[in-house]
């Protein structure tokens, strides 16, 4: 994985050099024609955007979608952990607010759904 990322950075830096300054040696190192065609810079830019999409943007969107789905599927009785590290059991879900109890002293805390970092019931059901 590190090798792929370092190769990607090398290609992108060479592409940026070609696009910004037109230096032919960086273009030759990256396997381009060195700016001989007016379309080579545009093609390189499109390739860079596609690589950024698949390496950075798409995985982040998948992660956000999965977290949002987890928060929407919370129900009474689930054991949760908040972003701040508080652990408890859900006793009420109403709209965007979740009420949960912590520990044996039965202290009830209300938080919004976005403050939930994980549903601990998912881990226990898999075992």
């Amino acid at each position: 994985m590190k090798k792929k990322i370092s190769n990607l950075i090398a290609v992108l830096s060479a592409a940026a050099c070609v696009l910004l300054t037109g230096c032919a040696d960086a273009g030759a190192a990256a396997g381009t024609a060195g700016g001989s065609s007016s379309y080579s810079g545009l093609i390189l830019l499109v390739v860079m955007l596609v690589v950024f999409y698949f390496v950075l943007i798409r995985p982040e969107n998948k992660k956000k979608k999965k977290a949002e789905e987890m928060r929407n599927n919370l129900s009474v009785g689930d054991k949760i952990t908040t972003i701040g590290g508080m652990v408890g059991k859900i006793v009420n879900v109403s709209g965007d607010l979740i009420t949960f109890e912590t520990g044996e002293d039965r202290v009830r805390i209300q938080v919004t759904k976005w403050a939930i970092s994980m549903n601990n019931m998912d881990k226990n059901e898999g075992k």
Side-chain angles (χ1 to χ4, degrees), residues 31-117:
T32 63
S36 62
S37 172
S38 63
Y39 293 113
S40 66
L42 182 63
I43 292 171
L44 197 55
L45 182 65
V46 169
V47 168
M48 283 183 4
L49 290 175
V50 168
V51 167
F52 276 127
Y53 175 76
F54 282 108
V55 171
L56 300 173
I57 298 170
R58 190 167 179 245
E60 187 65 28
N61 286 343
K62 280 186 172 182
K63 188 187 299 184
K64 284 181 185 177
K65 188 175 181 180
K66 186 177 178 183
E68 186 65 30
E69 181 181 329
M70 180 270 304
R71 289 179 182 125
N72 288 333
N73 292 331
L74 291 173
S75 60
V76 175
D78 287 351
K79 294 180 181 175
I80 58 166
T81 303
T82 65
I83 292 172
M86 291 186 286
V87 179
K89 185 176 180 181
I90 296 178
V91 293
N92 187 16
V93 177
S94 60
D96 199 30
L97 291 175
I98 293 178
T99 306
F100 67 97
E101 289 182 346
T102 61
E104 293 181 14
D105 53 359
R106 301 178 63 103
V107 173
R108 291 188 176 202
I109 300 173
Q110 251 187 347
V111 295
T112 56
K113 280 187 178 180
W114 64 264
I116 307 299
S117 71

